[in-house]
Amino acid sequence: MGVKEENHSDSVSCGENCHCGHEHGHNHEHDHGHEGHECGSACACGHDHGHEGGNTKEYVILAAAGILLAAAISGEYLGLSNIFVSSFAVLSALCTGIPIIVSSVRGLLGGRQNVCELAGIAIIAAILIGEYVTAAEVGFILSLGEIAEEYAYGKSRRNIEKIAALHPEYGLVERDGDFVEVPVDEIEVGDTVLIRPGDVVPSDGLIISGATSADESCLTGESVPVEKATGDPVYSGSINIDGAVRIEVTKRSRDSTYSKIVDFVREAEKRRPPTYPFIEKFASIYTPLTLVVTALTWIFTGSIERAITILIVACPCALLLSTPSAVISAIGAGARRGILVKSGLYLEEAGKIDSVIFDKTGTLTSGRMRVETVRAFGGFDEDRMINLAAAAECGSEHPVAATISDFAGERGLNGSGCLQVKSRPGLGVKAESDSGTILVGNIRFMDESGVSVPPSVFAEIEELSALGISPVLVSLDNEIIGLLGVEDSVRDESPSVVRDLKESGITNVSIVSGDRKEIAESVADKCGIERENVYSGIAPGEKRSIVEQFQKDGKKVCFVGDGVNDAPALAQANTGVAIGSRKNTVAIETSHVVLLGEGLRQILSFIRLGRKTVRTIKINVAFALSFTFILMAMAFLGIVHPAAGAVGHQAAVLLVLANSALIPLGMGRWN
């Protein structure tokens, strides 16, 4: 069909990067960042896979072509003059053929090797030899098939756009005692927003009055409403179900959880699908090779009709759609269930994973820690020791730091007064206060900082560690003044997830942890992980080295962490998966995949989704190639004629798209 002219924000039309040398219209108002990515459907026959599924002008042209073709065919059967039949057939062929030919010429003039010229050459050749009705039939069938193709391919893209469409454009913000509609981009932190039943929450915030239940399925994939009351957080993109509430905004719209999710999914949509290098090499030799085969067919059979049919069936649209259609279908299906995949590359990698390495805290464990034991040494007051520890941990995102701060708050301590806080990931923090230099961390941190641990304190550390409780030491001016025993419970689903991973063919499941050996092994025992696969006392920077060593041994590694301090390991892994949360958007920035559900079971869904995507791509490619070659052989033998060849070509495309559309089926049962 026709080529849509658009002005993209990066001043580069999709057609400049597409295999077929024409533009796939994007009709929503955001920047796809087309630099270096394969656009649209990567189709090859002048198709314009826009987000709207076509436009009125194209439908009118197609209808006119159909009427003209019907008149020509009717004229043939009624025995009308050749001039009458030919005139209507040529007009029909021009209606559908010109856009295809224009796309081909644009690609060739731009110096791009593409494959859409095959269809154009076939139509031109049919007209030149006087097969006007054949040219019209081919053009009409290809264009008619495009409508079905456009709908099927666009369905996955429309599903992705529905994710973005949930975000409202306006919010009711309190101004001088009244609530007025304000664009979401103008809502500031600290504003008071009224959210009525049925409204979509415009920005992250805290409820300051009222109670309701919220549908947060856009964030987690869970359809069960979540009860909300004063003091509870609400998240942009979620739907207020049954009560009016007022919230105080804590994040601007563009910084909210949902905005980051939308950006994540759109980034995934525009990244190059992983098998495109093969497609590019294939396209560069395919057209010349097909033209040679066409010429040989004409020479050996003496039939120009057979040669034209070769050109028609050889258009590899089905092959070019085999990967992007599967990837987009999988990305959209995952996003609707709280599985955010940054690129199709990681879906392919998921299909090859044989080793899973879990970070312990906040991943296999709940991350909801509590202080179980408090010890003060050297005559120090417990409350003063706790207050100093909380002051040093103030501002840290680590779960242990948050636990100590919350514990201090429960005892009425403000935990303030520290300056120049320096964090040592996986070890502890160092802070300066009016009282002196404070260190809060594990025994390794104390050793590296030159703080001596008395034998009596060491004995208590051993006792707590044996019970699976993490000891956190507190020192003031190089003297141990206290110890806090922090316990983190294993997630309820962790043992079954580990078991299911092993049953699904994962040969190695391991734990890396900054905690002592006894604590890490205690968690491993509860989860069903062998002790020889436990790596304890590991700093975040060292986790990357462990992942790298696995890879050197030929393993395909999936690293699963909480996204807070595991960035090096997440980046090094073949697939880095972060257990995200609506409060922690750091995970969205640092990992390849984010799981936004409340539990760990989505890791199984992601791996199965990856395997299903890889399987679908392989089936698509094998089918597209074999079907095309079969049609070419049948065309050479004269079994398939031009019109039937065009039907076969479109059938192959639609079957590939239909197979890709099946990817989401059954996902709800995977957990």
Side-chain angles (χ1 to χ4, degrees):
M1 297 291 285
V3 179
K4 295 180 182 177
E5 300 292 346
E6 289 189 333
N7 292 323
H8 291 269
S9 57
D10 54 8
S11 299
V12 179
S13 75
C14 281
E16 292 177 6
N17 285 322
C18 203
H19 288 297
C20 53
H22 50 87
E23 302 169 26
H24 302 275
H26 290 22
N27 296 310
H28 46 78
E29 296 178 0
H30 66 272
D31 180 4
H32 272 270
H34 292 297
E35 293 181 10
H37 89 84
E38 298 300 332
C39 129
S41 67
C43 185
C45 295
H47 296 187
D48 179 7
H49 299 289
H51 287 202
E52 294 181 344
N55 58 42
T56 304
K57 180 181 177 182
E58 291 171 338
Y59 288 134
V60 169
I61 293 174
L62 183 59
I67 293 170
L68 291 167
L69 176 59
I73 294 174
S74 299
E76 273 191 324
Y77 281 104
L78 294 174
L80 299 180
S81 67
N82 286 335
I83 295 177
F84 176 89
V85 172
S86 299
S87 298
F88 280 96
V90 169
L91 289 173
S92 177
L94 291 177
C95 286
T96 55
I98 286 177
I100 296 173
I101 296 168
V102 168
S103 295
S104 175
V105 171
R106 281 186 174 181
L108 294 174
L109 291 177
R112 293 182 297 273
Q113 183 68 52
N114 57 72
V115 293
C116 72
E117 60 264 22
L118 297 177
I121 293 172
I123 293 173
I124 292 172
I127 292 175
L128 290 177
I129 65 170
E131 295 288 341
Y132 305 121
V133 174
T134 297
E137 287 175 339
V138 168
F140 182 76
I141 292 170
L142 290 177
S143 299
L144 183 63
E146 178 195 347
I147 294 176
E149 176 186 339
E150 195 170 71
Y151 174 81
Y153 185 82
K155 188 174 186 297
S156 293
R157 287 180 172 272
R158 288 192 294 274
N159 285 336
I160 288 177
E161 286 309 309
K162 286 179 183 177
I163 297 171
L166 285 176
H167 206 294
E169 296 181 0
Y170 297 92
L172 289 174
V173 180
E174 188 173 18
R175 295 280 191 265
D176 300 324
D178 294 323
F179 286 95
V180 297
E181 278 196 347
V182 174
V184 291
D185 290 339
E186 297 179 14
I187 298 176
E188 301 289 343
V189 174
D191 280 347
T192 298
V193 177
L194 174 66
I195 305 173
R196 301 162 299 185
D199 284 351
V200 179
V201 179
S203 301
D204 292 3
L206 294 174
I207 295 177
I208 56 178
S209 69
T212 187
S213 56
D215 177 357
E216 297 182 346
S217 58
C218 64
L219 300 171
T220 65
E222 298 292 336
S223 58
V224 179
V226 181
E227 298 300 319
K228 300 287 184 179
T230 301
D232 288 338
V234 292
Y235 305 98
S236 67
S238 58
I239 302 172
N240 183 22
I241 296 178
D242 55 14
V245 295
R246 291 194 306 155
I247 69 166
E248 180 180 333
V249 174
T250 56
K251 290 182 181 178
R252 295 196 65 185
S253 175
R254 63 173 176 266
D255 300 321
S256 69
T257 305
Y258 195 67
S259 291
K260 290 184 180 293
I261 291 172
V262 172
D263 291 344
F264 194 105
V265 176
R266 283 176 170 164
E267 180 71 15
E269 182 193 4
K270 73 187 182 186
R271 286 175 182 262
R272 292 162 62 91
T275 58
Y276 268 175
F278 158 71
I279 298 292
E280 289 173 347
K281 292 178 182 178
F282 179 82
S284 66
I285 63 172
Y286 185 77
T287 298
L289 184 61
T290 300
L291 293 175
V292 170
V293 171
T294 301
L296 292 175
T297 299
W298 191 3
I299 293 170
F300 282 106
T301 67
S303 172
I304 186 64
E305 184 183 72
R306 295 186 187 188
I308 290 172
T309 308
I310 290 281
L311 290 173
I312 294 167
V313 301
C315 293
C317 297
L319 176 65
L320 297 175
L321 285 166
S322 59
T323 293
S325 62
V327 166
I328 289 177
S329 178
I331 287 173
R336 292 194 302 276
R337 292 163 177 81
I339 303 172
L340 307 184
V341 185
K342 191 171 286 187
S343 167
L345 170 65
Y346 306 116
L347 286 167
E348 282 210 329
E349 290 293 338
K352 306 171 187 175
I353 289 169
D354 55 23
S355 299
V356 176
I357 302 176
F358 287 100
D359 176 51
K360 180 182 75 68
T361 303
T363 305
L364 287 172
T365 62
S366 65
R368 294 186 291 272
M369 298 183 174
R370 57 185 182 274
V371 176
E372 291 290 340
T373 306
V374 179
R375 299 282 190 275
F377 307 115
F380 235 80
D381 178 72
E382 275 190 5
D383 281 351
R384 187 184 174 204
M385 182 270 294
I386 294 168
N387 194 62
L388 288 173
E393 296 281 19
C394 181
S396 173
E397 294 181 337
H398 195 279
V400 172
T403 300
I404 293 173
S405 297
D406 291 344
F407 183 66
E410 291 171 5
R411 297 181 66 137
L413 307 172
N414 59 20
S416 62
C418 281
L419 302 172
Q420 300 178 357
V421 178
K422 294 182 180 180
S423 175
R424 291 283 305 279
L427 298 175
V429 296
K430 177 181 180 181
E432 301 294 337
S433 73
D434 293 338
S435 301
T437 301
I438 304 169
L439 299 179
V440 182
N442 55 29
I443 191 169
R444 178 180 169 185
F445 183 47
M446 297 299 165
D447 289 341
E448 291 185 4
S449 301
V451 178
S452 177
V453 179
S456 59
V457 176
F458 191 82
E460 292 212 37
I461 291 173
E462 292 285 341
E463 182 181 344
L464 291 175
S465 297
L467 297 173
I469 299 174
S470 301
V472 179
L473 296 169
V474 183
S475 76
L476 178 64
D477 291 336
N478 294 329
E479 180 183 351
I480 299 294
I481 62 171
L483 181 151
L484 300 172
V486 179
E487 187 175 31
D488 184 11
S489 59
V490 172
R491 290 179 184 263
D492 293 339
E493 70 272 20
S494 291
S496 60
V497 168
V498 170
R499 182 188 66 246
D500 290 345
L501 283 173
K502 292 179 179 179
E503 291 178 354
S504 70
I506 302 299
T507 58
N508 186 298
V509 180
S510 303
I511 292 179
V512 293
S513 173
D515 284 323
R516 290 168 58 85
K517 179 180 179 181
E518 295 85 354
I519 296 171
E521 288 183 343
S522 174
V523 172
D525 292 342
K526 294 174 183 176
C527 294
I529 297 175
E530 295 77 12
R531 288 194 172 190
E532 58 265 28
N533 292 336
V534 174
Y535 300 84
S536 57
I538 306 298
E542 297 171 334
K543 294 177 185 178
R544 178 183 179 276
S545 300
I546 292 174
V547 172
E548 193 173 19
Q549 185 57 53
F550 269 70
Q551 292 170 327
K552 288 180 180 178
D553 293 338
K555 302 293 186 182
K556 294 292 185 179
V557 181
C558 173
F559 184 89
V560 187
D562 60 10
V564 176
N565 56 13
D566 298 322
L570 288 167
Q572 177 65 37
N574 299 89
T575 304
V577 179
I579 304 298
S581 74
R582 291 151 290 177
K583 295 180 181 178
N584 168 34
T585 56
V586 175
I588 297 178
E589 307 294 341
T590 60
S591 58
H592 306 141
V593 180
V594 181
L595 308 180
L596 286 174
E598 294 299 325
L600 194 62
R601 286 199 167 275
Q602 284 177 310
I603 186 66
L604 291 165
S605 293
F606 164 65
I607 291 175
R608 287 168 179 162
L609 179 63
R611 289 175 176 175
K612 190 171 185 180
T613 302
V614 170
R615 188 164 59 249
T616 299
I617 291 173
K618 288 180 179 179
I619 292 172
N620 285 349
V621 170
F623 168 76
L625 287 173
S626 59
F627 196 79
T628 298
F629 292 144
I630 289 172
L631 285 177
M632 290 176 72
M634 294 175 71
F636 178 83
L637 297 172
I639 300 172
V640 173
H641 301 287
V647 172
H649 166 267
Q650 289 299 337
V653 169
L654 294 177
L655 287 171
V656 163
L657 293 174
N659 189 44
S660 296
L662 295 176
I663 288 177
L665 296 184
M667 280 190 68
R669 300 190 300 271
W670 286 354
N671 284 340

